Amino acid sequence: MQYMTAGESHGPEEVAIIEGIPAGLAISSADINQELARRQHGYGRGERQKIETDTVSILTGVRHQVTLGSPITLNVHNDDHNNWAAIMAPDEPATPENSVRKVMRPRPGHADLVGGIKYRHQADLRNVLERSSARETVMRVAVGAVAKKLLAEIGVDVHGFVQQLGPVKNAADALTSFQDLAAVRAMSESLPTRALSAEVDQQMQAVIDETKRQRDTVGGMVQVIATGMPAGLGSYVSADTKLDAKIARAIVGINAFKAVDFGAAFDHVQLFGSEVMDEILWSEAQGFYRATDNMGGFEGGMTTGEMIIVRGVVKPIPTLYQPMRSVDIDNHTEHKASIERSDTTAVTAAAVIAEHMVAIELAKAVLDKFDSDNIERLKEQVTIYRQEVQAF
């Protein structure tokens, strides 16, 4: 399985092409739109979410709501393009009239300056920000929605929520109060900040409100949990086959993500090996399993069969309504950085994006190991493999 996205933040369309999805998988635009709506919602989002109503069109690879095994093309229209049609016109030469709203003063923390240097966009840094914008993640969520449908067919569930926003975090034992991942989903999706309790949600909202009053931005940490993955996906034989490494790359590849860990790895630096390693147990009913899950479901780059736990750190958005110092790229004089329409925080949306990126990497791993031509054949093979793992 592989995919590619295309599109600019204020261009007419966002597009993705997915190759390698098996034939026979039930999928509809409604399935994908449900996930796109989740990405748009969340406390602290900006004005653009009031303009866009992200809905997907499935252009190829699906017939009668069933995949054909051929490449799948997905398309989301940018409603805000109506306000930018002349500025973003692909088939018109540049004129003074359609070259307004230039970006000449790069924002600290954004791709503006380095992207301009790399691609020689010295005339207008908008040529950088239009693609480096997180708007592109709408298509990663669309691709992830297809991946989640595939994973569900073999009993794998994936969900993301907000673990921390600014100084406010869920209680250390918050997850122990939920019976299963469905219960976690029900709670976090019912709250505007995607926290794990109403009390923490209110505290997070207060932080966002105060940050907005200060014309600043705030970051946080999101967590993704996946259940039902068989043991042995990924490999230890080389660096580029380790599944946790692939997930780490996918998470840090999301706009504004700066760090990733598995299990509680950020906390392991102050612990000893005897406090961290997951002891191995065996029962006739389960086969091998672990007493704990501090490793987050991975050993040696491979899934252990335990719950997969991934956390990602999201920096504050670099567009500030009280802009920081910058330098005009044209005349090299000091100015305040450019201001673009932005959110107070993207952490609530980042939880959804991270969820879908984990789903994509897990789906890739499944399709690497099992037959990828037909979904029913894949399911048969997964069932046999699970039996083999249990009997080991």
Side-chain angles (χ1 to χ4, degrees):
M1 174 188 168
Q2 58 185 350
Y3 74 97
M4 175 180 287
T5 70
E8 283 72 49
S9 180
H10 298 100
E13 310 292 337
E14 302 287 343
V15 180
I17 299 177
I18 319 170
E19 188 176 29
I21 297 295
L25 177 68
I27 188 76
S28 69
S29 58
D31 297 325
I32 300 172
N33 288 339
Q34 180 179 344
E35 302 300 325
L36 297 183
R38 291 179 58 219
R39 174 190 167 277
Q40 284 199 273
H41 297 155
Y43 204 78
R45 300 304 307 276
E47 293 298 314
R48 181 159 188 182
Q49 306 313 314
K50 298 177 182 178
I51 299 173
E52 302 290 352
T53 304
D54 292 337
T55 54
V56 74
S57 297
I58 302 175
L59 304 181
T60 69
V62 177
R63 183 182 183 217
H64 299 160
Q65 298 187 340
V66 178
T67 58
L68 302 175
S70 51
I72 298 170
T73 305
L74 306 176
N75 179 82
V76 172
H77 178 68
N78 283 330
D79 293 336
D80 198 21
H81 176 68
N82 296 333
N83 302 314
W84 293 79
I87 295 173
M88 296 301 296
D91 206 28
E92 296 289 337
T95 66
E97 291 73 27
N98 66 16
S99 298
V100 295
R101 302 189 70 170
K102 286 186 175 183
V103 177
M104 305 300 289
R105 300 163 185 174
R107 293 162 290 174
H110 206 283
D112 298 346
L113 178 58
V114 181
I117 293 170
K118 177 179 175 63
Y119 292 102
R120 291 189 176 181
H121 288 314
Q122 195 161 4
D124 188 355
L125 295 179
R126 179 164 300 284
N127 293 332
V128 177
L129 72 88
E130 284 293 332
R131 179 59 182 173
S132 65
S133 165
R135 176 62 184 159
E136 177 268 345
T137 61
V138 67
M139 298 318 299
R140 288 193 249 178
V141 171
V143 173
V146 178
K148 285 179 63 177
K149 287 287 288 186
L150 183 145
L151 292 171
E153 291 288 327
I154 61 168
V156 176
D157 192 14
V158 188
H159 180 65
F161 57 89
V162 174
Q163 173 63 19
Q164 181 173 349
L165 193 143
V168 180
K169 63 176 71 175
N170 294 315
D173 61 349
L175 283 171
T176 62
S177 63
F178 297 98
Q179 183 176 1
D180 52 27
L181 191 55
V184 174
R185 177 184 290 107
M187 173 58 76
S188 64
E189 289 299 302
S190 71
L191 299 172
T193 64
R194 295 194 164 94
L196 293 184
S197 72
E199 179 183 2
V200 172
D201 172 72
Q202 289 299 312
Q203 294 172 5
M204 288 183 178
Q205 287 192 45
V207 169
I208 294 169
D209 291 342
E210 179 58 27
T211 301
K212 187 174 183 179
R213 279 192 290 271
Q214 297 297 326
R215 300 172 67 80
D216 214 331
T217 59
V218 63
M221 178 186 292
V222 303
Q223 182 163 322
V224 179
I225 294 176
T227 60
M229 280 292 285
L233 274 69
S235 178
Y236 61 88
V237 300
S238 59
D240 61 355
T241 59
K242 294 176 182 286
L243 181 52
D244 53 357
K246 293 179 180 181
I247 291 174
R249 177 179 178 176
I251 293 296
V252 177
I254 304 170
N255 309 56
F257 276 72
K258 300 301 288 184
V260 60
D261 81 341
F262 296 85
F266 289 143
D267 305 322
H268 293 171
V269 294
Q270 57 189 354
L271 302 176
F272 296 97
S274 58
E275 300 173 285
V276 171
M277 304 309 159
D278 301 316
E279 292 185 310
I280 299 172
L281 305 175
W282 183 89
S283 73
E284 189 169 350
Q286 289 181 260
F288 287 101
Y289 65 98
R290 305 303 191 279
T292 54
D293 193 19
N294 294 323
M295 296 293 102
F298 286 98
E299 289 177 347
M302 300 168 291
T303 54
T304 63
E306 300 295 332
M307 183 167 59
I308 292 172
I309 303 171
V310 184
R311 298 190 300 181
V313 175
V314 187
K315 72 179 181 183
I317 291 171
T319 295
L320 304 175
Y321 288 107
Q322 290 195 66
M324 300 177 71
R325 289 187 302 168
S326 185
V327 174
D328 191 296
I329 64 170
D330 183 42
N331 56 30
H332 295 169
T333 57
E334 184 174 314
H335 289 274
K336 295 294 186 180
S338 296
I339 298 176
E340 293 288 314
R341 182 178 54 214
S342 184
D343 304 335
T344 303
T345 185
V347 177
T348 50
V352 177
I353 300 165
E355 169 190 317
H356 287 78
M357 292 308 298
V358 170
I360 288 170
E361 294 304 318
L362 296 183
K364 285 182 179 179
V366 169
L367 293 170
D368 283 346
K369 188 169 184 65
F370 303 105
D371 186 278
S372 61
D373 293 332
N374 179 271
I375 190 65
E376 293 303 322
R377 190 182 298 124
L378 182 149
K379 290 163 64 175
E380 292 165 5
Q381 292 183 0
V382 171
T383 298
I384 293 171
Y385 179 72
R386 288 189 191 274
Q387 294 169 351
E388 177 188 340
V389 170
Q390 185 175 349
F392 185 84

